[in-house]
Amino acid sequence: TITMDADKAITATFSEIPPEMYTLTIHITGEGVVHVDGSVYTQPVTLVEGSTVLLEAFADEGWQFDGWSGDMESDDPHYSMILDHDCIIHATFTLSIHTQDLPAEKLQIFPNPFSDHLKLENTGTVKRISLTNLLGQEVYGMENHGSEQIIIPAYGMERGVYLLLVIDVSGVMHTFRVIKH
């Protein structure tokens, strides 16, 4: 409040309010690269609020892009978003394994995805099985001596993708991707 009882000089000073800044952090699991607005992501990026950001995921050879998770979810490797808060995003790449389709009278693997156990039927011609995680570490292995059914216990196994390696009596190895829930 100003009381005008004489001539007075008044100065108003204004300063610009700086724009809000937000940080985009990306965690990469598996083998691949992420581009943010066309540049390879190497460290968190700080941008002005409301910036439109293009995220692109490129899988390395032998890997595939599975999706984005965290502060946004999508399986599209090219995703545009508006940055309106600090964001942490996960880009997930997994090994690209082509499973083999076998006729019904041959080896059957179920359920897939599995939780407490994985069952293999028609295993009479199977010599050995090995279940490995994506790091190549064997979590279960056994020799088969003509049994027609094998049950792999899964209690205590971490959730995720596993590779089931099946070696038949003629020495041919078959690889299957199975998922533990």
Side-chain angles (χ1 to χ4, degrees):
T1 303
I2 299 174
T3 303
M4 293 301 293
D5 53 6
D7 289 343
K8 298 187 181 199
I10 299 173
T11 303
T13 305
F14 298 91
S15 61
E16 183 178 351
I17 298 173
E20 196 71 38
M21 303 296 285
Y22 293 113
T23 301
L24 171 65
T25 304
I26 301 172
H27 298 288
I28 300 171
T29 302
E31 298 296 323
V33 295
V34 171
H35 288 192
V36 176
D37 288 335
S39 297
V40 175
Y41 177 86
T42 57
Q43 63 186 14
V45 178
T46 301
L47 299 166
V48 175
E49 175 182 26
S51 295
T52 299
V53 181
L54 175 62
L55 302 177
E56 296 176 288
F58 300 97
D60 287 354
E61 187 173 334
W63 292 75
Q64 66 188 20
F65 177 69
D66 276 354
W68 308 101
S69 61
D71 284 322
M72 66 87 148
E73 308 248 338
S74 176
D75 59 359
D76 186 347
H78 306 283
Y79 189 86
S80 183
M81 63 181 285
I82 296 174
L83 197 61
D84 58 4
H85 63 283
D86 289 330
C87 289
I88 297 176
I89 296 173
H90 301 271
T92 303
F93 300 91
T94 56
L95 281 171
S96 178
I97 303 297
H98 301 287
T99 60
Q100 299 165 327
D101 294 324
L102 296 175
E105 69 274 10
K106 301 243 179 172
L107 180 65
Q108 296 178 345
I109 303 167
F110 61 93
N112 191 14
F114 64 100
S115 50
D116 359 339
H117 68 276
L118 183 64
K119 187 184 277 190
L120 288 74
E121 290 191 350
N122 299 324
T123 56
T125 60
V126 171
K127 181 178 179 182
R128 174 162 174 66
I129 63 163
S130 176
L131 187 64
T132 64
N133 60 25
L134 292 181
L135 297 175
Q137 300 164 325
E138 185 176 71
V139 296
Y140 184 86
M142 70 166 282
E143 299 291 325
N144 185 35
H145 302 286
S147 174
E148 285 294 323
Q149 182 182 75
I150 298 171
I151 297 176
I152 300 173
Y155 299 105
M157 282 185 197
E158 297 289 323
R159 291 171 43 126
V161 177
Y162 290 84
L163 300 178
L164 177 64
L165 307 171
V166 177
I167 301 172
D168 64 25
V169 292
S170 61
V172 176
M173 182 169 40
H174 307 273
T175 305
F176 302 90
R177 181 172 53 175
V178 293
I179 299 170
K180 165 76 164 78
H181 276 220

